[in-house]
């Protein structure tokens, strides 16, 4: 198979496939490949199969942190690991390959800039998609320093499981080949691409917490045509709600609130939520910070929920994924895989079935390969938590 024309890097004898548990844990492996000159320092492509874009940005992280890799690793989480690498210049093209049940970012081409906002010194983007605006990550180009162009392609794969559906591999292949061109690229797969849960749906469900959060954190993105105003309003909303839940995490009480919080438009909603949780969980230590995190996911689209049957999972792997791989112009430099099962995004009861099926296909396609199961060393004795969402403990 043809290799990239612009070969300025070393080549692995065996294609590395790294399997991690939490998606941001792939970043140290990518940085190691860059340091060893298997990946160029600048301008690679990310082909990203996932039920979630993972393209948020640590909101208060200073832009300069991306050049201090160990400090960067400490700031990253499952939802925000791609764009800091784009700001560092490692990726200038990203192709989000989404399953049919996802709509967080519109399908098509999105060309924008990523840079350091002059006032906050944090990383922001010029993309006006609600996905970024609802996390207050938008900034106009004139407010950015060290701005770099980013091309984002969003395509859908997996229509084979829909009634009378099929994937258009001619069109998919055209888009993906155009994105990759002669550049080096990483193939990145989250196993929740094939089947995903919204783990926050079960968060203190007797008190209907998630439904209440959707109302409390609701953000009418179309309230005004001025994107700067929308971004500022969303930022104010998230900041005031964060203060409420920081107070609750510290005191587990609505007493002694500041004047700012007492006079807030959100006071009634937070008080109502607090009362319901206390009613149904009087003896439980409440994780108020996780409740706030769950609320922050309540934007226009929210988190997807689609638990796929094993029959349809097999179709998505044997037909859709195999068809995509056949469309790629040359092999990736490396393949990264996230299980996403301990936090219940990928159903834990299916994750091994999905992983084994995906690895079998990749081995058949790209042999010889070298598979690293990173999660076995990090979480050897841990079993998935089926009841409470959130990341596993850090050991």
């Amino acid at each position: 198979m043809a290799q990239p024309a612009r070969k300025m890097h070393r080549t692995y004898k065996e294609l590395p496939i790294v399997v991690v548990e939490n998606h941001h844990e792939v970043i140290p492996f990518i940085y190691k490949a860059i340091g060893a000159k298997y990946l160029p320092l600048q301008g690679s492509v990310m082909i990203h199969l996932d039920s979630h874009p993972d393209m948020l940005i640590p909101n208060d992280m200073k832009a300069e942190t991306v050049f201090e890799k160990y400090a960067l690793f400490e700031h990253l989480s499952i939802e925000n690991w791609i764009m800091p690498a784009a700001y560092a210049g490692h990726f200038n093209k990203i192709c989000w390959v989404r399953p049919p049940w996802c709509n967080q970012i519109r399908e098509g081409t999105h060309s924008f800039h990523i840079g350091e906002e002059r006032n906050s010194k944090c990383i922001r983007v010029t993309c006006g998609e609600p996905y970024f605006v609802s996390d207050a990550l938008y900034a106009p180009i004139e407010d950015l320093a060290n701005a770099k162009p980013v091309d984002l392609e969003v395509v859908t794969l997996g229509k084979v499981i829909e009634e009378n559906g099929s994937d258009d591999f001619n069109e998919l292949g055209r888009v993906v080949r155009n994105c990759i061109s002669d550049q080096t690229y990483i193939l990145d797969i989250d196993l929740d691409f094939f089947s995903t849960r919204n783990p926050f749906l079960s968060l203190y469900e007797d008190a209907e917490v998630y439904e209440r959060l959707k109302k409390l954190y609701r953000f009418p993105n179309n309230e005004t045509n001025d994107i700067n105003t929308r971004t500022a309003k969303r930022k104010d909303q998230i900041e005031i709600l964060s203060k409420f839940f920081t107070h609750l995490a510290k005191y587990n009480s609505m007493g002694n609130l500041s004047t700012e919080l007492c006079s807030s438009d959100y006071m009634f909603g937070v008080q109502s939520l607090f009362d319901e949780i206390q009613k149904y969980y009087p003896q439980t230590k409440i994780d108020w910070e996780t409740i706030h995190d769950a609320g922050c996911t309540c934007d226009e689209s929210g988190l997807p929920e689609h638990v796929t049957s094993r029959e349809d999972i097999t179709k998505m792997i044997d037909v859709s994924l195999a068809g995509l791989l056949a469309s790629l112009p040359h092999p990736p430099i490396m393949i990264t895989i996230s299980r996403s099962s301990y936090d219940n995004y990928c159903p834990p009861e299916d994750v091994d079935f999905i992983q084994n099926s995906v690895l079998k296909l990749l081995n058949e396609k790209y042999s010889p390969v070298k598979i690293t199961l990173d999660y076995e060393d990090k979480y050897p004795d841990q079993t998935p938590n089926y009841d409470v969402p959130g990341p596993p403990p850090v050991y």
Side-chain angles (χ1 to χ4, degrees), residues 219-339:
F219 176 56
N221 190 55
N222 58 357
E223 194 172 80
T224 173
N225 291 327
D226 182 21
I227 193 170
N228 293 302
T229 300
R230 296 202 308 270
T231 303
K233 290 183 71 172
R234 181 59 166 178
K235 181 180 179 182
D236 291 344
Q237 179 188 24
I238 296 298
E239 285 181 351
I240 197 73
L241 287 168
S242 177
K243 290 178 182 179
F244 271 111
F245 287 97
T246 298
H247 177 93
L248 288 171
K250 185 174 182 179
Y251 300 108
N252 197 40
S253 168
M254 288 291 285
N256 299 315
L257 291 170
S258 67
T259 302
E260 178 190 25
L261 296 184
C262 287
S263 61
S264 166
D265 293 340
Y266 302 102
M267 176 67 187
F268 177 80
V270 176
Q271 181 70 63
S272 176
L273 175 66
F274 176 81
D275 292 342
E276 285 298 302
I277 291 176
Q278 293 299 307
K279 175 182 175 181
Y280 287 98
Y281 299 92
Q283 306 301 320
T284 302
K285 180 175 174 56
I286 305 301
D287 188 344
W288 295 107
E289 291 179 347
T290 293
I291 291 175
H292 174 61
D293 290 342
C296 289
T297 70
C298 298
D299 50 23
E300 283 193 346
S301 59
L303 293 176
E305 168 91 4
H306 188 281
V307 179
T308 312
S309 70
R310 290 202 174 185
E311 179 183 359
D312 282 346
I313 289 170
T314 300
K315 286 182 184 179
M316 292 183 72
I317 294 171
D318 292 350
V319 179
S320 298
L321 179 58
L324 176 68
L325 297 182
S327 301
L328 298 175
H330 52 77
I333 292 297
M334 66 187 301
I335 298 173
T336 52
I337 297 175
S338 173
R339 286 166 59 87

Side-chain angles (χ1 to χ4, degrees), residues 317 321-322 325 356-366:
I317 294 171
L321 179 58
L325 297 182
N356 291 337
S357 301
V358 169
L359 288 177
K360 179 177 181 291
L361 175 62
L362 294 174
N363 186 53
E364 291 172 352
K365 175 71 176 177
Y366 295 119

Side-chain angles (χ1 to χ4, degrees), residues 42-149:
Q42 303 278 320
S44 290
V45 178
M46 168 76 74
I47 307 298
H48 173 63
L49 283 73
D50 201 320
S51 277
H52 312 88
D54 295 353
M55 293 180 213
L56 298 178
I57 300 165
N59 215 291
D60 297 324
M61 185 188 77
K62 300 303 180 185
E64 63 186 14
T65 307
V66 303
F67 304 112
E68 303 169 17
K69 67 178 183 179
Y70 295 113
L72 173 64
F73 297 164
E74 291 296 317
H75 280 85
L76 299 182
S77 188
I78 57 174
E79 77 282 1
N80 61 25
W81 59 275
I82 295 177
M83 298 310 285
Y87 174 70
H90 304 318
F91 302 107
N92 62 1
K93 294 179 183 177
I94 302 161
C95 182
W96 178 36
V97 183
R98 65 183 191 182
W101 53 81
C102 294
N103 62 353
Q104 297 96 313
I105 302 176
R106 287 179 299 119
E107 190 164 11
T109 302
H110 306 269
S111 296
F112 56 92
H113 284 80
I114 184 169
E116 177 185 326
E117 188 180 37
R118 289 187 170 86
N119 289 335
S120 68
K121 305 299 182 184
C122 297
I123 301 171
R124 296 294 182 262
V125 297
T126 61
C127 184
E129 282 290 296
Y131 176 80
F132 296 109
V133 175
S134 65
D135 217 55
L137 296 175
Y138 170 83
I141 184 66
E142 60 268 20
D143 289 353
L144 297 183
N146 195 28
K148 301 177 176 71

